[in-house]
Amino acid sequence: MEVAKPIQHNQLVALEKDIKKERRQLAVKRFFSNKTVLAGSIMLIFLTLFAFIGPLISQFTPLQIDPANRLAKPSAEHWFGTDNFGRDLFSRVAHGAQVSMGVGLSVAVLTAVIGMVIGLYAAYYSALDHILMRISDALMAFPDILLAIAIMAVLGPQPVNVVIAVTLAKIPVVARIVRSSALVIKEQTYIEAMRAQGASSWRIIWRHILPNTVSPLIVQVTYVFAIAIILEAALSFLGAGVPAPDPSWGNILYDGKIVIYNAWWMTVFPGAFIVMAVLALNLFGDGLRDLLDPHSNKALKE
Amino acid sequence: MKAYILKRLLSMIPVLLIVAIFVFFLIHMIPGDPAAVMLGPEATPEEVESLKEELGLNLPIYQQFFEWSLHALQGDLGNSLYMNQPVLDAFTSHLGPTLSLALLAQGVSIFLAIPIGVLAARKRGTGIDRTFMIIAMLGMSIPSFLLALLLMLVFGVQLNWLPVAGYTSLSEGLWEHLKYLILPAISLGTIQAAVIARMTRSSMIDILSMNFIKTAKAKGLKQKVVIYKHAFRNALIPILTILGETFGALITGAVVTETVFNLPGIGQLVINAITRRDYAVIQGTILLIAVTYLFLNLIIDLLYGLVDPRVRLNRK
């Protein structure tokens, strides 16, 4: 009689490795077959490279004034032309990319962390929920740019304050997203079972509820990143954001508006980068939503 | 229904209170002495002291808040230091251009978005649908003030068709009034249209796949009747919600867009207030806008309750 051979441990390990590899390949395949997320990623990579390599390949610094060469058209020397002080626009837009995208990224990370904590605890403790959600209702009643303007007016125009102002305006949105998915998870039987076994609330919230709220959080934060770039540009354009002479996409547009009759390039180039960054993030977010949750928004797909 | 209205009104109170607390404390977030910051570095200590007295900054904080709220409830939002007039008057005198712009932009957006959304839903998956949705995605990615600058560059500077700055009120004649508002309204309305068109499309797609539409088609009704009388009417509810929710975006957009075209609206009032450190104006303006937003949403909610009884029952 033939006896079934016991499975060796190393066979199991190999099998597990294979499965992991297959899963990874599948994830990569799904990523590359999702054109939206792919297009968004390529644009984001390009922008990141531009922000870091742009300043290196430019022969000019963003603050170098050349009064003889004011408002020069784009040329072989000045790729994007020069501004009203004769500063090289390519160099300014590239440095501005670091500032604008840096502000956007900081806002995205901060709102994600703070919004997550608020959303999770609001969902878990219903007494806290009432208070926190009324506060977020109140904050959401202010149009985001006005809230940011008011905070900037009080704190003063500084890049750090732009981050604070925009973060404050956007935390309620993120907190609500996390809260609503956490509320669903909280009612599941396995959470009830954990509680019955005497798991601490800390463990339930961070080990069991949190992982289930991550996908909607990441998607929402991508959009917040995009909105933060728009808000930074708007604030700086209004003179309440990143102060001169440091470049940001918004304050280059502000300078450009004064000379719009003479220098189209000062509006078109920074403008194109703002649109590209926001479009990239919106595409990335939309694609990610479909990747992470195949059930969501079927109607939007073909 | 009465109970629902009452409940909804009562739920406004804590939110309004928090809005008020936030706006009130803005002035206390100023680093250093608010009165000294407001008057600038040239002010003498006596002037600072008298302003502090005038604003009641020497009183205990809860008393300050109580008095400020009491005045605000009576419509007294303080005086603009720079313009020497009550904040409420400054606000109402700047409201015209912003309101005109917002309404015109909303008109442009509805006019563009609804037909496009309906068409895209009907031709779902075809080249027409894709093209419109790519344009909509692009539209959502352009900040309205940037589109304003670009339109200004093309139609104002290059082609010289329309004025790029200035404003005349409606009393000067309709065309004179509209001439200055066309470019701002198009730039603001197009951005709004992108959001509304996407919403219209997905809402229409949902409805079009429902059984009652199949029935309507099977009955042999004309395509037009099915689309507009049966499907669109039902798709309208989520579209109306979006219209209400985008009010905030519309005002935000109007505030920034009007500064591009130098329209003397709320945006200009706020921006000037920042450079002049006229905090009473900033406080008053954002308070009024937030309260308007809250009441607008209250009205929309109440309308739902009226239209759809499930809403009033669910929220008990």
Side-chain angles (χ1 to χ4, degrees):
Chain A
M1 244 177 93
E2 213 172 306
V3 180
K5 252 197 240 164
I7 300 172
Q8 298 294 317
H9 176 67
N10 56 355
Q11 272 177 309
L12 261 182
V13 172
L15 200 67
E16 203 188 332
K17 245 187 195 164
D18 277 353
I19 292 175
K20 271 193 180 156
K21 196 177 158 197
E22 222 166 275
R23 262 198 209 147
R24 229 179 1 249
Q25 278 170 345
L26 202 67
V28 171
K29 221 177 184 177
R30 276 181 64 200
F31 180 85
F32 279 101
S33 64
N34 186 322
K35 279 182 203 133
T36 337
V37 82
L38 194 65
S41 316
I42 291 172
M43 283 159 82
L44 283 177
I45 291 168
F46 169 77
L47 284 166
T48 315
L49 288 178
F50 175 76
F52 287 104
I53 297 178
L56 299 178
I57 57 173
S58 169
Q59 305 144 293
F60 304 92
T61 68
L63 301 179
Q64 199 177 323
I65 294 175
D66 180 8
N69 242 334
R70 290 176 65 235
L71 300 177
K73 280 200 172 89
S75 63
E77 197 191 1
H78 295 286
W79 298 329
F80 288 179
T82 64
D83 73 358
N84 40 346
F85 290 100
R87 296 175 293 199
D88 180 55
L89 197 62
F90 177 82
S91 166
R92 284 184 73 75
V93 172
H95 273 93
Q98 288 183 7
V99 176
S100 298
M101 289 176 62
V103 166
L105 187 65
S106 319
V107 170
V109 172
L110 279 174
T111 49
V113 174
I114 303 172
M116 184 176 77
V117 174
I118 294 178
L120 286 174
Y121 278 86
Y124 199 78
Y125 297 105
S126 56
L128 201 61
D129 188 37
H130 280 292
I131 302 169
L132 288 174
M133 286 307 117
R134 290 300 81 73
I135 295 177
S136 95
D137 278 346
L139 277 179
M140 276 158 91
F142 300 105
D144 46 16
I145 188 99
L146 278 181
L147 184 62
I149 286 177
I151 297 171
M152 291 307 290
V154 168
L155 297 179
Q158 284 297 324
V160 189
N161 295 342
V162 178
V163 174
I164 296 174
V166 179
T167 304
L168 256 178
K170 285 293 150 197
I171 285 175
V173 183
V174 177
R176 267 176 188 273
I177 295 282
V178 174
R179 170 183 171 266
S180 63
S181 43
L183 275 178
V184 177
I185 307 298
K186 189 190 148 199
E187 298 303 323
Q188 306 275 321
T189 328
Y190 72 91
I191 298 293
E192 210 176 302
M194 299 260 343
R195 229 179 275 154
Q197 286 177 344
S200 68
S201 54
W202 194 88
R203 188 182 172 87
I204 296 177
I205 291 174
W206 293 100
R207 294 280 314 255
H208 298 272
I209 298 183
L210 168 69
N212 289 297
T213 61
V214 168
S215 341
L217 174 69
I218 293 176
V219 172
Q220 193 58 39
V221 164
T222 316
Y223 297 134
V224 169
F225 194 160
I227 294 166
I229 288 179
I230 294 182
L231 285 179
E232 183 280 320
L235 283 175
S236 301
F237 178 74
L238 295 173
V242 176
D246 288 327
S248 89
W249 289 338
N251 69 22
I252 299 173
L253 284 174
Y254 173 79
D255 292 339
K257 198 216 148 185
I258 302 166
V259 292
I260 198 162
Y261 275 95
N262 314 313
W264 56 265
W265 50 92
M266 280 186 69
T267 300
V268 170
F269 288 116
F273 276 92
I274 293 174
V275 175
M276 202 197 295
V278 177
L279 183 63
L281 288 162
N282 280 342
L283 287 172
F284 190 73
D286 275 9
L288 212 58
R289 187 188 54 206
D290 294 345
L291 265 186
L292 295 175
D293 182 8
H295 305 294
S296 79
N297 274 294
K298 276 256 164 70
L300 285 170
K301 290 193 248 167
E302 295 99 302
Chain B
M1 189 64 201
K2 260 187 203 149
Y4 172 69
I5 295 177
L6 194 69
K7 193 175 165 277
R8 200 58 192 73
L9 276 173
L10 284 177
S11 73
M12 288 276 288
I13 294 172
V15 177
L16 282 172
L17 188 69
I18 296 165
V19 165
I21 291 174
F22 180 81
V23 172
F24 169 76
F25 273 100
L26 259 183
I27 205 168
H28 293 276
M29 279 164 64
I30 301 169
D33 184 351
V37 173
M38 277 183 234
L39 290 173
E42 292 99 41
T44 61
E46 291 78 40
E47 282 171 331
V48 172
E49 202 47 48
S50 81
L51 181 68
K52 265 178 139 177
E53 200 62 47
E54 196 193 318
L55 297 175
L57 288 171
N58 293 325
L59 297 170
I61 196 111
Y62 62 89
Q63 203 175 341
Q64 282 184 45
F65 177 66
F66 185 71
E67 286 195 359
W68 180 82
S69 310
L70 210 63
H71 284 150
L73 279 175
Q74 293 164 347
D76 174 14
L77 295 166
N79 287 305
S80 158
L81 279 184
Y82 192 88
M83 287 179 284
N84 230 340
Q85 60 173 346
V87 171
L88 198 63
D89 292 356
F91 184 82
T92 44
S93 69
H94 283 80
L95 192 60
T98 306
L99 216 55
S100 274
L101 173 57
L103 286 177
L104 211 60
Q106 190 71 287
V108 169
S109 70
I110 293 172
F111 181 74
L112 276 175
I114 298 213
I116 289 178
V118 172
L119 185 71
R122 282 175 57 191
K123 309 265 176 191
R124 180 178 171 197
T126 64
I128 299 177
D129 176 25
R130 271 199 210 135
T131 318
F132 275 132
M133 284 308 112
I134 288 173
I135 295 174
M137 189 74 191
L138 202 65
M140 279 176 66
S141 304
I142 304 180
S144 60
F145 75 93
L146 180 59
L147 186 62
L149 284 171
L150 295 174
L151 288 178
M152 189 183 203
L153 200 58
V154 175
F155 295 101
V157 177
Q158 303 289 337
L159 297 172
N160 210 359
W161 287 355
L162 288 160
V164 296
Y167 178 74
T168 50
S169 70
L170 193 54
S171 52
E172 306 278 314
L174 187 63
W175 170 244
E176 281 302 308
H177 180 61
L178 285 181
K179 196 164 78 176
Y180 292 100
L181 289 174
I182 292 176
L183 284 182
I186 291 177
S187 39
L188 189 54
T190 315
I191 310 297
Q192 290 283 96
V195 182
I196 300 170
R198 275 165 62 111
M199 189 67 211
T200 307
R201 175 178 177 274
S202 65
S203 171
M204 274 298 274
I205 286 176
D206 277 348
I207 301 286
L208 282 175
S209 66
M210 285 189 176
N211 282 333
F212 75 92
I213 295 293
K214 271 183 211 150
T215 312
K217 277 186 192 155
K219 276 200 302 195
L221 288 182
K222 278 185 198 148
Q223 173 91 353
K224 253 191 194 151
V225 178
V226 176
I227 295 283
Y228 288 98
K229 278 202 92 170
H230 292 238
F232 182 63
R233 273 175 65 171
N234 283 291
L236 210 56
I237 295 165
I239 297 170
L240 284 178
T241 320
I242 278 286
L243 288 183
E245 278 171 8
T246 48
F247 169 78
L250 198 67
I251 292 293
T252 302
V255 163
V256 190
T257 309
E258 73 192 27
T259 40
V260 175
F261 291 95
N262 293 336
L263 296 176
I266 301 295
Q268 209 179 62
L269 180 71
V270 173
I271 299 307
N272 287 339
I274 292 180
T275 42
R276 296 166 183 163
R277 295 187 290 263
D278 202 343
Y279 291 103
V281 171
I282 300 175
Q283 277 182 309
T285 309
I286 76 161
L287 181 69
L288 284 169
I289 289 179
V291 171
T292 312
Y293 177 80
L294 285 172
F295 275 96
L296 198 78
N297 274 301
L298 175 76
I299 292 169
I300 290 173
D301 267 13
L302 292 181
L303 281 178
Y304 282 151
L306 209 64
V307 174
D308 189 346
R310 282 172 300 179
V311 175
R312 355 188 245 268
L313 294 174
N314 274 341
R315 297 202 179 164
K316 271 198 177 151

